[in-house]
Amino acid sequence: MKVLVTDPIADAGLDRLREAGHEVETGYELEGDALHEAVADAHALVVRSGTEVTRELLESAPDLRIVGRAGIGVDNIDIDAATDHGVIVANAPEGNVRAAAEHTVAMAFASARSIPQAHSRLNNGEWAKSEYLGTEVNAKTLGVVGLGRVGQEVAKRLAALGMDLVAYDPYISEERADQLGAELAELDSVLDRADFLTIHTPLTPETENLIGEEELAKLEGGYVVNCARGGIIDEPALAAAVEDGTLAGAALDVFGEEPLPDDSPLLDVDDIIVTPHLGASTSAAQEHVATSIADQVLAAFADEPVVNA
Ligand code: NAD
Ligand code: MLT
């Protein structure tokens, strides 16, 4: 069988597929016609967030049995089109949860203590000690939007650092929230009360632009962290809210358009810090998701049940 891998995954996953006797072709730069040609005789396609798996791409792949997402979010895959073509879509929902949670905590601290800004000033020879007065997370309120796997891990870590928890997630039980020490509330109430707001929902029609100008105004004086998906926060509204001082700062790992365009308004604002979708980028997480997705491809090839499909 041919497995086409179009976004970089750890060698452990590629080795597992090769050791099982399959042909593995990597094409991390493939686009347009070249991508359509490469997928034409593939039996499996493995991606991360870089490849848009569109209806047209699926139509170019008559032998395809499975699309494997080496990670969590499947918003870059046209699930309806895959279903129409009888193609399984599977993800790896566990392997990068802790990596994403740790990155979120790191981004909250980096923002609250202006670490990237101060580092850059010092690299330029400026000892700007008097210009940075940070914010402690201790005794502050963390607002979590989306209290799923990553949201819960972030909540546990920041609660251990002294934060009170309030969460908006219409799909989780009061009981689960209670176990975490989090109070469930409506979004407006979370925004009113939070000092730090952290986003952990998938990107869906319901969450697209969930946090816009009005919502950011309710968070007055707070910080926003988004290590979930671009498109959930209105980027121009966020840039304006940090620029005009409505918000103290923001830290973003994900963007509506990736790679982030050079002319993004987010790049012009000193109190907005950005990383290039690094939430899952630890060696442990990458090894875990790559081997997990390889196992699912092997299961599909063997006509065995595919977990997380
Ligand atoms: P999950 O499915 O376990 O949790 C998502 C939570 O969001 C669920 O509890 C769900 O009930 C809630 N939710 C859904 N719609 C909602 C809405 N309209 N309002 C409020 N809550 C809503 O997912 P997860 O594994 O925790 O992942 C969360 C997000 O993080 C996903 O978007 C995923 O793609 C992203 N992620 C990013 C990185 C990265 O590299 N930056 C790494 C891992 C995960
Ligand atoms: C995910 O949803 O798992 C993330 O986008 C991580 C990634 O693959 O970079």
Side-chain angles (χ1 to χ4, degrees), residues 25-84:
E25 181 181 323
T26 56
Y28 301 151
E29 307 294 330
L30 288 173
E31 278 179 31
D33 290 347
L35 174 59
H36 284 251
E37 270 166 40
V39 84
D41 59 348
H43 301 94
L45 173 64
V46 173
V47 302
R48 282 181 66 191
S49 57
T51 306
E52 282 296 316
V53 184
T54 60
R55 184 173 287 275
E56 292 68 38
L57 189 64
L58 291 161
E59 278 165 3
S60 306
D63 299 330
L64 202 63
R65 295 189 181 188
I66 179 167
V67 177
R69 165 64 162 102
I72 296 170
V74 287
D75 44 284
N76 54 321
I77 301 168
D78 187 333
I79 309 271
D80 291 340
T83 306
D84 291 345

Side-chain angles (χ1 to χ4, degrees), residues 95-115:
N96 64 28
V97 168
R98 279 154 296 279
E102 288 187 13
H103 195 69
T104 304
V105 173
M107 292 291 265
F109 275 120
S111 196
R113 305 303 291 268
S114 303
I115 292 170

Side-chain angles (χ1 to χ4, degrees), residues 69 178 194 224:
R69 165 64 162 102
D178 279 352
V224 176

Side-chain angles (χ1 to χ4, degrees), residues 15-22 298:
D15 292 346
R16 191 164 292 192
L17 292 162
R18 288 190 178 115
E19 279 157 17
H22 301 293
L298 295 178

Side-chain angles (χ1 to χ4, degrees), residues 196-219:
F196 288 77
L197 186 78
T198 186
I199 311 293
H200 300 289
T201 67
L203 177 64
T204 63
E206 203 187 359
T207 62
E208 192 168 1
N209 282 322
L210 182 69
I211 308 295
E213 190 182 344
E214 261 180 50
E215 290 72 24
L216 295 170
K218 294 192 176 112
L219 188 66

Side-chain angles (χ1 to χ4, degrees), residues 48 69 72-75 93 96-97 100 103 145-152 168-172 199-204 206-207 210 227-229 232 253-254 277-281:
R48 282 181 66 191
R69 165 64 162 102
I72 296 170
V74 287
D75 44 284
N96 64 28
V97 168
H103 195 69
V145 177
L147 200 56
R149 291 183 183 86
V150 179
Q152 292 186 23
Y168 170 64
D169 188 327
Y171 306 108
I172 77 145
I199 311 293
H200 300 289
T201 67
L203 177 64
T204 63
E206 203 187 359
T207 62
L210 182 69
C227 293
R229 274 293 175 275
I232 299 170
D253 185 48
V254 287
H277 204 142
L278 291 182
S281 295

